[in-house]
Amino acid sequence: MDGSPPSVCKSFLGDERSRLLFLQHNLGRKSGRFGRAEESKSSRMLLWVLAVLLVLFSCLDVWYFLRSVTTVLWAWFQPPVWDVLGEQCVGGRVLPRDIDMGHMNNARYLRECDFARFALFTRNGVFKAARALGASLMVGASTIRYRRSLSLGEAFELRSRIVAWDDKAFFLEQRFVSRADGLVRAVMLCRQNVLRSSPDKILQYLCKRKTPAANFNTAPDSAISSSETGQHRRLKFVARSRRMLLWVLAVLLVLFSCVDVWYFLRIVATVLRAWFQPPVWDVLEEQCVEGRVLPHDMDHMGHMNNARYLRECDFARFALFTRNRMFKAMWALRCSMVLGASTIRYRRSLASAEAFQLRSRLLSWDDKAFFLEQRFVSRADGFVSAVMLCRLNILRGSPHKMVEFLCKRTVECPEYPEDLQHWISFINASSQALRAESNLEEKNK
């Protein structure tokens, strides 16, 4: 035993040390693979989450439903308002998703009014009474007058109150009041129809209540290192592609959740489509655009949200003024156009996926504004589902100059239809009342 050659012991010890080093190398490699597998699983899960959120925000009006739920919950946990006619106030701020050409989009005013009415009817018990009586509430008509636009980041108060009711509907007034100067920026009157019941019954009800296991690889180190190099390159490429896709999805998600992306894309598409169509030389000719109610347009009742009607009217006016060259005259004369007032009457709701035509025509004009009529006509039966009248104010110019620029001659404006005359009288009366109220407030100060 003592005479055994020492070289044999050294060889034996060297072989054992080599085996230990080989096992440590394989165990370290397998643990690294396990860590990479866990990281890959987490990134795939994050990728799916971002993709689902992107589909939701791009196809549905997610913020509408989230704000509806939070508004009702917020109002539910506040003290109830026992006076049904009492004015209620909610605060707001113009966010990037609300703006179009630097100020709050006209359809967003109606959207904010929706949430304010949810809070109003939750706190004064109208929702509770309607649910107990098996009734439902639906906007039947609304008219809004824009006095001064709300800019990005500007804070405001939305004051809502029930002013009257009849056998079929409540009539509400909602005011946008700037917190900076206290000026009433917009005033809306709306009719809230009561279905399967009546306002009197609701008020009577309210008065009563005070992985697989890893296998060891015995391949030579050179073969292991060469195969790992190719696999490592593929894994790096997949990881880099996944990170890039994650960034793209994250950026798109931020855009769709913070900015009304479809609004700006549709404006560009609408103007380009109308630009390449034949021009319309008669400024009074009616023009028609096709539309369909998409999932993004619906509200909690399953039909087209009332604010989406005004949004569709925006796109129809862009097409109208592109084809009849009003935009061309506006740019040549260096003037601009802004919506001053609008009134809309909802005759029958547009259901999900229902096709419609939006027919727009110029009715008349005065020294300061154009007056338009826009009709939503169902493609199924030709029924006029909604009618809107709007006034487009011309800044740094006049409608007469724009029409003269297009016709190369003086053109007298058409006579006002009877309904347009009544609406103009309402606007003038509202303007005088608000001016008188502002003067009174200044004197009281």
Side-chain angles (χ1 to χ4, degrees):
M1 299 294 295
D2 295 337
S4 59
S7 59
V8 175
C9 295
K10 291 180 180 179
S11 174
F12 177 78
L13 292 175
D15 291 343
E16 290 296 324
R17 190 178 295 110
S18 299
R19 290 189 184 93
L20 288 174
L21 290 174
F22 180 75
L23 289 173
Q24 290 177 358
H25 174 72
N26 278 310
L27 287 174
R29 185 174 67 250
K30 297 303 180 183
S31 63
R33 287 180 180 175
F34 181 75
R36 285 196 297 270
E38 290 294 324
E39 182 181 357
S40 177
K41 186 185 297 183
S42 301
S43 63
R44 284 197 300 270
M45 185 179 298
L46 180 60
L47 188 65
W48 274 106
V49 170
L50 289 177
V52 170
L53 289 176
L54 178 60
V55 170
L56 283 175
F57 276 98
S58 60
C59 297
L60 292 175
D61 198 350
V62 179
W63 290 125
Y64 176 85
F65 296 99
L66 290 179
R67 279 198 62 185
S68 299
V69 173
T70 55
T71 299
V72 171
L73 290 177
W74 174 82
W76 181 266
F77 289 103
Q78 284 192 321
V81 176
W82 303 108
D83 183 7
V84 180
L85 302 181
E87 184 180 74
Q88 296 185 37
C89 178
V90 295
R93 187 177 294 274
V94 182
L95 301 177
R97 189 173 176 81
D98 301 325
I99 62 172
D100 50 13
M101 305 301 177
H103 54 74
M104 190 168 176
N105 179 256
N106 61 294
R108 290 286 169 170
Y109 286 87
L110 271 73
R111 182 187 176 95
E112 293 298 321
C113 289
D114 275 355
F115 303 130
R117 286 196 302 274
F118 290 155
L120 174 71
F121 292 148
T122 301
R123 294 191 65 190
N124 65 13
V126 172
F127 274 161
K128 179 181 179 181
R131 187 167 56 250
L133 297 173
S136 60
L137 302 174
M138 181 182 296
V139 177
S142 64
T143 180
I144 186 167
R145 180 168 168 265
Y146 310 94
R147 303 184 69 210
R148 187 186 298 176
S149 60
L150 290 167
S151 56
L152 177 62
E154 187 171 356
F156 61 87
E157 290 181 348
L158 184 45
R159 302 173 183 174
S160 308
R161 65 189 181 99
I162 298 176
V163 295
W165 62 86
D166 59 13
D167 296 337
K168 297 181 179 179
F170 289 106
F171 297 92
L172 289 83
E173 181 191 65
Q174 297 181 276
R175 296 185 174 195
F176 290 81
V177 182
S178 173
R179 286 188 173 180
D181 53 10
L183 181 70
V184 179
R185 300 297 183 90
V187 182
M188 191 181 90
L189 294 175
C190 76
R191 184 179 70 186
Q192 194 86 25
N193 293 338
V194 180
L195 307 180
R196 298 183 298 277
S197 186
S198 67
D200 292 321
K201 292 181 180 180
I202 290 178
L203 294 176
Q204 288 174 9
Y205 179 89
L206 292 176
C207 290
K208 297 177 184 178
R209 59 146 168 110
K210 299 244 164 190
T211 85
N215 296 321
F216 285 101
N217 190 357
T218 57
D221 288 344
S222 59
I224 294 173
S225 60
S226 62
S227 63
E228 282 187 346
T229 302
Q231 186 178 5
H232 183 62
R233 289 177 180 175
R234 288 192 297 273
L235 290 175
K236 284 183 66 177
F237 175 77
V238 172
R240 190 183 300 114
S241 303
R242 187 177 290 120
R243 284 196 299 269
M244 185 179 298
L245 184 57
L246 286 172
W247 273 107
V248 171
L249 289 177
V251 170
L252 289 175
L253 179 60
V254 170
L255 283 175
F256 276 98
S257 59
C258 298
V259 181
D260 198 349
V261 178
W262 291 125
Y263 178 84
F264 296 98
L265 291 178
R266 277 198 64 183
I267 285 179
V268 174
T270 299
V271 172
L272 289 176
R273 181 175 179 271
W275 182 267
F276 289 103
Q277 286 183 324
V280 176
W281 303 104
D282 184 4
V283 294
L284 300 178
E285 182 179 339
E286 182 182 77
Q287 296 185 37
C288 177
V289 294
E290 305 291 333
R292 187 177 293 274
V293 182
L294 301 177
H296 205 272
D297 301 323
M298 297 188 301
D299 57 10
H300 64 286
M301 299 186 70
H303 55 69
M304 189 168 176
N305 179 254
N306 60 298
R308 290 285 170 170
Y309 288 84
L310 274 72
R311 181 188 176 93
E312 294 297 321
C313 289
D314 275 353
F315 304 130
R317 287 197 299 274
F318 278 110
L320 174 71
F321 291 142
T322 302
R323 294 193 64 190
N324 67 10
R325 301 162 299 132
M326 279 293 182
F327 279 157
K328 179 181 179 181
M330 184 181 69
W331 294 327
L333 299 174
R334 295 185 179 181
C335 54
S336 60
M337 195 179 298
V338 64
L339 189 67
S342 67
T343 182
I344 184 168
R345 188 165 78 90
Y346 309 95
R347 303 184 67 214
R348 189 176 71 188
S349 60
L350 291 169
S352 174
E354 185 173 354
F356 61 88
Q357 289 181 340
L358 184 45
R359 302 173 183 175
S360 308
R361 65 191 180 103
L362 186 63
L363 295 177
S364 188
W365 58 86
D366 59 12
D367 295 335
K368 296 180 179 180
F370 288 108
F371 298 97
L372 285 83
E373 181 191 67
Q374 297 181 277
R375 295 186 174 195
F376 290 82
V377 182
S378 175
R379 289 289 302 273
D381 54 6
F383 186 81
V384 179
S385 299
V387 182
M388 191 178 94
L389 294 175
C390 67
R391 184 180 73 179
L392 287 170
N393 297 336
I394 305 301
L395 308 180
R396 299 181 300 277
S398 69
H400 295 287
K401 292 181 179 179
M402 294 178 64
V403 175
E404 288 178 4
F405 176 85
L406 294 176
C407 299
K408 308 301 180 184
R409 60 183 177 84
T410 303
V411 179
E412 294 184 1
C413 65
E415 294 184 1
Y416 296 161
E418 184 178 358
D419 56 346
L420 182 59
Q421 292 179 3
H422 290 305
W423 185 54
I424 293 175
S425 300
F426 159 75
I427 294 175
N428 294 332
S430 174
S431 180
Q432 292 176 4
L434 288 173
R435 287 172 184 168
E437 182 180 330
S438 299
N439 292 333
L440 181 62
E441 290 177 356
E442 292 178 0
K443 290 179 181 179
N444 292 334
K445 290 181 181 178

